[in-house]
Amino acid sequence: MSVQDRFSVLGRKALVTGASRGIGIELCRVLSEAGADIVAVARDESGLAEARAAVEANGRVCLTLPADLGQPDAPERVGREALAAWGTIDILVNNAGVSFPKLLVDQTIAEWDLIQAVNLRAPWLLARTLAPAMIAQKRGKIVNVSSQTSSVALTEHGAYAASKNGLNGLTKVMTAEWAPFNIQANAVCPTVTMTPMATQVWGDPAKLGPMVAKIPAGRVAQPVEVCDVVLFLCATASDMINGQEIFVDGGYTAL
Ligand code: NAP
């Protein structure tokens, strides 16, 4: 197999959640440019239409499945619809996520539950719906978009950190159960990345400044820098990487 083939996802079927904006819509661009057809999932249908246009501009096929992944039955429904349409899904990128930054004393139970439902429960339910077809074909890639907050403590990120630490743990169990079937599951842990979520959480320069000061690279990440790492984890070149947490953080967690 050539270097090009080892780093390609040509002809693969990839399901990307949180595809309507931010890192997710960039994932649709990057994975389709590298040859994948995309199932794009999110609530916002205009954002999904934008994702479809980006995929089609790269000459690939895009199926959009609007869904609120915070609802208990939605992830399995989406997984079943994707399988019904395309027979198998080779790549699952669990990217959809929410964050309601608040001190532990102020976070509401409703916010806590929604964060766990979208960031942690939905990845489990989607993965277990798609895994049997991956197991049958003895090939699959699962990338869970986690966060640097799975490794370092950030104030106002209690519920969010709990969900991302949970996602890292889930990633390891996916590896333990599915690696024998040639399925690789890994977590990607970005630092602050310039998306609508980052604007919501870090938009105040008084917050962002001290954070950037802790990043040895001296800057935040761009969505494409996260997506390129996801692409590597979806390609054959990374077949021996399994159950890992890959930090895309400019060195933040190295200190
Ligand atoms: P974003 O700009 O807010 O986009 C989040 C995506 O998730 C949107 O497409 C949104 O779509 C989707 N989503 C949210 N709630 C959903 C729900 N209930 N059902 C279905 N989809 C839902 O965030 P982002 O920055 O691109 O974040 C992407 C991932 O990276 C998240 O898992 C986040 O935790 C992680 N991350 C981000 C940063 C950062 O600084 N940006 C850093 C570390 C990790 P709809 O609203 O259309 O449903």
Side-chain angles (χ1 to χ4, degrees), residues 46 57 79 143 148 157 183 200:
S46 64
V143 181
Q148 69 180 7
H157 282 72
I183 297 170
Q200 174 212 340

Side-chain angles (χ1 to χ4, degrees), residues 18 20-21 23 43-44 68-69 95 146 160 164 191 193 195:
S20 61
R21 61 176 183 268
I23 293 170
R43 292 166 300 179
D44 172 24
D68 179 353
L69 296 173
N95 164 75
S146 181
Y160 184 79
K164 297 301 190 181
T191 187
T193 307
T195 68

